[in-house]
Amino acid sequence: MSRLQYGTNIRIVRVPCSARVNPQFIIKALQNGADGVLVSGCHPGDCHYISGNLVARRKFALVKRLLEFVGIEPERVQFSWVSASEGGRFAALVNRVVADVRRVGPATRLVKRLDRDLG
């Protein structure tokens, strides 16, 4: 409704709660060619599912450290807390993440190669 602008090259995957984002989803996205991943949820302490975002915060901290350990640039996987009423902030966040990912370039680690790319 407010016609906020953000990149057309992003794909939004809605889940009921940020705690429902399995770390494998993030790894699979990177393996399947996504150059970056943003996970966003309700502000800590303001979760519709009581403490889901607190669980997510702990989970994402571990995932972030694991990905950095295997050589994934920190800009590729970002986590943020934005409420549903902060549309302008969400659009600005998406644009910032897209700029950060563009700055580090296309992903090369974890990306699965297809047989046709090997020849």
Side-chain angles (χ1 to χ4, degrees), residues 16-117:
C17 179
S18 57
R20 300 287 302 202
V21 176
N22 187 321
Q24 286 182 329
F25 297 164
I26 297 168
I27 293 168
K28 285 286 189 189
L30 295 170
Q31 285 179 328
N32 290 325
D35 290 327
V37 175
L38 167 67
V39 178
S40 183
C42 303
H43 293 281
D46 192 27
C47 181
H48 295 34
Y49 296 96
I50 314 297
S51 62
N53 52 16
L54 300 177
V55 170
R57 182 170 56 180
R58 287 191 301 272
K59 187 182 347 181
F60 296 153
L62 290 172
V63 169
K64 187 92 167 153
R65 286 182 27 212
L66 171 70
L67 291 172
E68 288 177 21
F69 178 77
V70 298
I72 302 297
E73 299 92 342
E75 296 87 358
R76 291 209 187 279
V77 179
Q78 297 187 34
F79 308 99
S80 180
W81 311 114
V82 179
S83 75
S85 64
E86 297 176 305
R89 184 167 181 253
F90 177 75
L93 172 67
V94 167
N95 289 329
R96 183 182 55 82
V97 170
V98 168
D100 289 349
V101 171
R102 278 195 180 132
R103 194 171 25 260
V104 295
T108 56
R109 290 196 178 270
L110 295 182
V111 177
K112 288 184 179 180
R113 292 180 157 231
L114 300 174
D115 289 338
R116 64 188 161 124
D117 292 339

